[in-house]
């Protein structure tokens, strides 16, 4: 089986603080992985290493067959979907305009925007400005953005922060649909076991 994420002895230090210490981690194609732990446990650091936003102090990181912080980075980023813990969008744009903008940035088919908005439960609010969206609606818009282009690897960093279980239910509904399961793997980071259990 092909490893989608492969950490070998990965340590990340910032000054004298070890954010990760000799982490070995392998996620194979088609697997779902949850990073569980309290705040400060290294979940977001791990996500940032996968995304190539950080480089390891020691060890080796490979994502979809290459180093995410090397020459492979641009190609890799087009094959990833990422929902950060705190989403922020241009508030004067509508939900549809936001997704259309991100589709152009990712160089993916813009025709999927309406389907994704419906899938995350925002079809009815697609033409409303983002500034009128609740936090939960913004999180769902972020999920739709992460799903653009049918990524091979989907990363969700504490997607239910400050939210009820409704977002988690929306995410699970999206992931359970066969059309959505086009990615190779799905990684979730959370401090709450109720999100994943």
């Amino acid at each position: 089986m092909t490893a989608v994420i492969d950490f070998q002895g990965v340590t990340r230090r910032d000054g004298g603080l070890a954010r990760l210490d000799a982490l070995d981690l392998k996620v194979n194609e088609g697997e779902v992985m949850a990073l569980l732990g309290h705040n400060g446990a290294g979940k977001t650091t791990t996500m940032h290493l996968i995304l190539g936003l950080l480089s390891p102090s020691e060890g080796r990181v490979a994502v979809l067959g290459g180093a995410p912080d090397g020459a492979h980075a641009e190609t890799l980023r087009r094959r990833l979907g990422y929902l950060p813990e705190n989403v922020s969008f241009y508030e004067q744009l509508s939900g549809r305009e936001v997704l259309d903008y991100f589709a152009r940035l990712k160089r993916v088919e813009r025709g999927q925007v309406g389907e994704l908005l419906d899938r995350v439960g925002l079809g009815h609010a697609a033409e409303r400005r983002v500034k009128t969206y609740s936090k939960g609606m913004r999180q769902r818009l972020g999920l739709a953005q992460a799903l653009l282009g049918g990524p091979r690897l989907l990363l969700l960093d504490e997607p239910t922060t400050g939210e009820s279980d409704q977002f988690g239910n929306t995410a699970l509904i999206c992931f359970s649909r066969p059309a959505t399961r086009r990615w190779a793997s799905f990684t979730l980071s959370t401090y709450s076991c109720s999100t994943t259990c």
Side-chain angles (χ1 to χ4, degrees):
M1 210 175 263
T2 305
V4 176
I5 300 170
D6 190 9
F7 280 42
Q8 295 178 8
V10 173
T11 296
R12 172 64 192 191
R13 288 190 191 87
D14 291 319
L17 179 63
R19 302 276 182 196
L20 291 178
D21 187 19
L23 177 63
D24 290 317
L25 172 69
K26 190 177 228 176
V27 179
N28 291 316
E29 196 154 340
E31 289 184 336
V32 175
M33 178 187 68
L35 298 172
L36 300 173
H38 58 81
N39 290 336
K43 300 178 304 295
T44 297
T45 298
T46 301
M47 290 279 195
H48 287 174
L49 286 161
I50 293 168
L51 292 165
L53 300 175
L54 294 174
S55 298
S57 304
E58 296 173 22
R60 179 176 132 357
V61 175
V63 178
L64 297 174
D69 60 346
H72 181 67
E74 186 177 338
T75 303
L76 171 68
R77 288 191 183 116
R78 289 194 189 132
R79 299 164 70 195
L80 293 177
Y82 175 59
L83 175 63
E85 179 177 357
N86 297 304
V87 296
S88 180
F89 298 109
Y90 299 109
E91 294 198 338
Q92 296 303 318
L93 296 179
S94 71
R96 184 179 307 282
E97 290 169 330
V98 166
L99 280 194
D100 187 63
Y101 171 76
F102 278 98
R104 283 183 277 143
L105 281 178
K106 285 180 123 178
R107 298 181 188 142
V108 299
E109 176 57 44
R110 291 171 17 202
Q112 65 190 286
V113 166
E115 175 195 342
L116 285 172
L117 287 166
D118 287 339
R119 190 178 296 170
V120 299
L122 290 176
H124 70 284
E127 306 308 326
R128 284 178 35 199
R129 288 185 180 184
V130 172
K131 72 178 181 179
T132 68
Y133 282 17
S134 68
K135 180 168 178 162
M137 292 172 77
R138 290 172 195 236
Q139 285 290 99
R140 287 185 275 147
L141 183 60
L143 176 61
Q145 176 274 137
L147 291 169
L148 277 167
R152 287 207 48 218
L153 176 60
L154 184 61
L155 303 168
L156 306 180
D157 192 0
E158 302 206 22
T160 59
T161 298
E163 287 304 307
S164 68
D165 286 338
Q166 182 181 1
F167 179 82
N169 292 337
T170 299
L172 289 173
I173 289 167
C174 287
F175 305 143
S176 67
R177 293 184 184 169
T180 310
R181 287 305 310 245
R182 291 181 292 203
W183 61 81
S185 296
F186 160 52
T187 300
L188 168 75
S189 154
T190 185
Y191 61 88
S192 170
C193 187
S194 65
T195 302
T196 57
C197 300

